[in-house]
Amino acid sequence: MTHRPDPIRAHPGRRSRSDRARQVADVLRQQIAQGAVAAKLPAEAVLQREFSVSRNSIREALEILRREGLVDRLPGVGTVVRRPKLEHTIAATRGLAASLRGHGTVVNEVRTAGQVRPPTAVAAALGLEPGAHVCYIERLRRVDGEPISLDLTYLPLDIGTALLQADLETEDLFALIERAADDRLTTVSINLDAVNADEHCAALLGVTPGSALLVLQRATRLSDGAPACLEFVRMRGDRITLRMSAPAT
């Protein structure tokens, strides 16, 4: 029998300052997102004792959060929370607008809405034959006037036609779908990617080109399994954090 040596593991004490700073930043970022940190972070000395790392590691961690736009470092004041991210809980029957309403006034700017002939892949995702028309809705979502996401939504005609006459600026899209279909949304398939904002999208969302965006692709179905909509939602990575819970399998 061939002897396999035990894997080599780095000793915890030999880890770099940047490794430790990253660990600290991850915990602080979560605390800020959950509202556990109010207006101001504890002093560097307090954080140093809490995380058992050097003062330089703490300062590097705080600089990471500053570059992410989560905190400001103010001389004579300390590290203050700039603005916590807006939390979106991913669920089959909960759209982004529903998650954001508790954070301010949500308005959807409808950039276009009508019937289109979609790409073959979109038609297939909606259970349609190639060449079939669908309803297409594109909205720029704002919270208290600040652009947060760009939503591209495809719907079968039997559902989408009714939505074209609805109040797409203020009403939740999922609620409108359930009303039009007279059925419940029950299942969802989600893909999530991180991309860099192109110049056009960056201008719409009020960020610099190359900024981090989260792209949520979500296919939602009704209780009988029929496809209800296919969404591509571009969200600002500096303003939105995603949350999801699922039972253990």
Side-chain angles (χ1 to χ4, degrees):
M1 179 180 296
T2 302
H3 175 69
R4 295 183 179 180
D6 293 334
I8 298 176
R9 295 180 174 85
H11 190 278
R14 298 172 185 167
R15 303 184 70 243
S16 72
R17 184 180 71 192
S18 294
D19 287 332
R20 296 178 184 275
R22 184 172 58 251
Q23 285 182 292
V24 173
D26 286 346
V27 174
L28 292 177
R29 187 187 301 108
Q30 181 189 39
Q31 291 179 321
I32 292 172
Q34 294 177 341
V37 178
K40 183 178 176 182
L41 270 66
E44 291 181 1
V46 175
L47 293 174
Q48 184 180 355
R49 292 193 297 271
E50 172 69 21
F51 289 96
S52 300
V53 298
S54 69
R55 179 70 66 88
N56 285 337
S57 292
I58 293 297
R59 289 176 175 172
E60 187 169 333
L62 296 176
E63 176 61 17
I64 291 173
L65 299 179
R66 188 197 66 79
R67 291 197 301 267
E68 293 177 2
L70 292 178
V71 302
D72 283 325
R73 304 270 283 151
L74 304 179
V77 176
T79 304
V80 296
V81 177
R82 183 178 179 188
R83 50 180 180 178
K85 289 189 177 184
L86 307 175
E87 184 177 292
H88 173 37
T89 300
I90 302 174
T93 57
R94 186 176 177 86
L96 179 58
S99 292
L100 297 178
R101 283 201 179 97
H103 299 282
T105 302
V106 180
V107 175
N108 302 308
E109 175 190 325
V110 181
R111 305 192 71 245
T112 185
Q115 293 189 21
V116 300
R117 184 172 294 167
T120 302
V122 172
L126 293 175
L128 303 173
E129 295 294 329
H133 280 73
V134 301
C135 288
Y136 173 72
I137 300 171
E138 182 173 316
R139 299 167 302 158
L140 179 65
R141 179 172 288 112
R142 301 177 186 272
V143 178
D144 289 339
E146 180 184 29
I148 294 295
S149 72
L150 181 64
D151 301 12
L152 285 58
T153 307
Y154 298 88
L155 308 105
L157 290 181
D158 58 346
I159 295 176
T161 302
L163 269 63
L164 296 180
Q165 309 303 319
D167 180 6
L168 296 170
E169 292 187 354
T170 59
E171 290 204 57
D172 182 71
L173 188 69
F174 282 4
L176 291 172
I177 291 173
E178 292 185 329
R179 192 183 310 160
D182 192 24
D183 198 358
R184 295 181 303 107
L185 295 170
T186 58
T187 59
V188 62
S189 175
I190 292 173
N191 291 326
L192 184 63
D193 291 300
V195 302
N196 299 115
D198 58 81
E199 290 189 7
H200 179 256
C201 191
L204 288 174
L205 291 174
V207 298
T208 58
S211 296
L213 301 179
L214 300 171
V215 180
L216 180 73
Q217 177 185 327
R218 175 164 44 191
T220 310
R221 295 178 179 270
L222 300 168
S223 64
D224 62 357
C229 72
L230 177 64
E231 300 176 286
F232 297 87
V233 183
R234 289 169 171 79
M235 299 172 284
R236 286 177 50 172
D238 66 326
R239 296 297 289 121
I240 291 182
T241 184
L242 300 180
R243 182 177 299 279
M244 183 176 182
S245 60
T249 58

